[in-house]
Amino acid sequence: MSDILKQLAVTLQERKQASPQSSYVAQLHSKGLNKILEKVGEEAVETILAAKDAQVSGLKDEVIAETADLWFHSLVMLSHLDISHQDVLNELARRTGISGLDEKANRNK
């Protein structure tokens, strides 16, 4: 998985510098963080709706596709903020083995 994330990170960095006429990602960057956040929110809602539909239908393809869109747009957001996907992976690794309840309680201190 991290190989895919590394490849995507390189592509996103290249597209960040590209002409908005040549790249969807460049268009998002040129429109600014608010537009990127709007897309993240839109994809989050679509993912939620797809999951609810999948629970009824048993069909998972739409959940997978919408989750991929959500992850992609989240990576664009991170790229825009000059945050590496590795930083997020490091945070997930840090949380490994820690109770979710304990981790949440520690955030509020």
Side-chain angles (χ1 to χ4, degrees):
M1 179 174 78
S2 67
D3 286 345
I4 293 169
L5 290 175
K6 286 176 188 174
Q7 290 171 344
L8 245 159
V10 169
T11 300
L12 290 176
Q13 191 59 37
E14 289 170 357
R15 303 281 164 82
K16 190 175 177 180
Q17 310 304 322
S19 164
Q21 289 76 32
S22 68
S23 162
Y24 171 70
V25 171
Q27 286 177 9
L28 286 174
H29 283 295
S30 74
K31 292 178 182 177
L33 182 60
N34 284 344
K35 182 62 176 176
I36 295 167
L37 295 176
E38 181 182 307
K39 288 301 295 179
V40 171
E42 176 186 318
E43 298 303 341
V45 169
E46 290 175 2
T47 301
I48 291 166
L49 295 174
K52 290 184 78 61
D53 289 347
Q55 185 177 25
V56 173
S57 70
L59 301 175
K60 299 177 182 176
D61 289 349
E62 197 65 26
V63 177
I64 293 166
E66 293 300 343
T67 301
D69 289 347
L70 175 59
W71 288 8
F72 176 80
H73 286 89
S74 294
L75 289 169
V76 173
M77 175 196 66
L78 292 172
S79 170
H80 192 80
L81 296 169
D82 294 320
I83 299 170
S84 168
H85 69 276
Q86 190 61 52
D87 295 330
V88 177
L89 293 175
N90 291 345
E91 177 61 13
L92 289 171
R94 183 191 69 77
R95 294 180 186 186
T96 300
I98 300 172
S99 159
L101 296 174
D102 291 341
E103 196 281 327
K104 186 175 179 181
N106 287 332
R107 276 191 262 157
N108 296 327
K109 290 182 181 177

